[in-house]
């Protein structure tokens, strides 16, 4: 079984900590953008949004023009905003999350991701109202 196949099984089983452990155990040169993207997803699913954002920032220069990167960043920013302590920081994170979800929509994601982006944008609009 390949690492990618194993990661998929762990994802389906909700074993996100196993994903982070396996990817971080790899030597840095073996950590592809795809694997690092999966690391960001695992961090998101563990509620470690700030770590997901850091990983995604490392991938930004090569991946920011993909719907997948934009969606993952929007997700991390949105949930990070919900955990933020100050209203100014919360609004800033929500703004950036909205930009990411809007960008994802422009990059022709699959229909289920499109629906998620639209829903997140609605939530952001409501959250910003107060």
């Amino acid at each position: 079984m390949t690492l990618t196949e194993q990661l998929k099984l762990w994802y389906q089983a909700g074993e996100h900590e196993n994903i982070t452990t396996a990817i971080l155990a790899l030597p840095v040169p073996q950590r592809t953008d795809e694997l690092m993207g999966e690391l960001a997803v695992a961090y998101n699913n563990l509620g470690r949004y700030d770590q997901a954002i850091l990983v995604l920032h490392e991938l930004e220069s090569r991946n920011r023009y993909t719907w997948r990167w934009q969606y993952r960043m929007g997700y991390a920013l949105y949930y990070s905003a919900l955990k933020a302590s100050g209203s100014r920081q919360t609004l800033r994170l929500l703004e950036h999350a909205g930009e990411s979800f809007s960008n994802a929509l422009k990059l022709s994601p699959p229909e289920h991701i499109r629906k998620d982006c639209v829903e997140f944008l609605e939530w952001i609009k409501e959250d910003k109202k107060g």
Side-chain angles (χ1 to χ4, degrees), residues 82-93:
L82 297 184
K83 290 175 69 174
S85 57
S87 61
R88 181 179 248 170
Q89 181 185 14
T90 300
L91 286 175
R92 184 178 55 81
L93 290 166

Side-chain angles (χ1 to χ4, degrees), residues 89-121:
Q89 181 185 14
T90 300
L91 286 175
R92 184 178 55 81
L93 290 166
L94 288 172
E95 285 292 328
H96 290 300
E99 291 168 9
S100 289
F101 288 123
S102 293
N103 288 336
L105 287 171
K106 293 174 190 171
L107 295 166
S108 303
E111 187 58 31
H112 69 284
I113 297 295
R114 177 173 290 283
K115 287 179 182 179
D116 283 355
C117 289
V118 169
E119 187 170 34
F120 273 111
L121 288 168

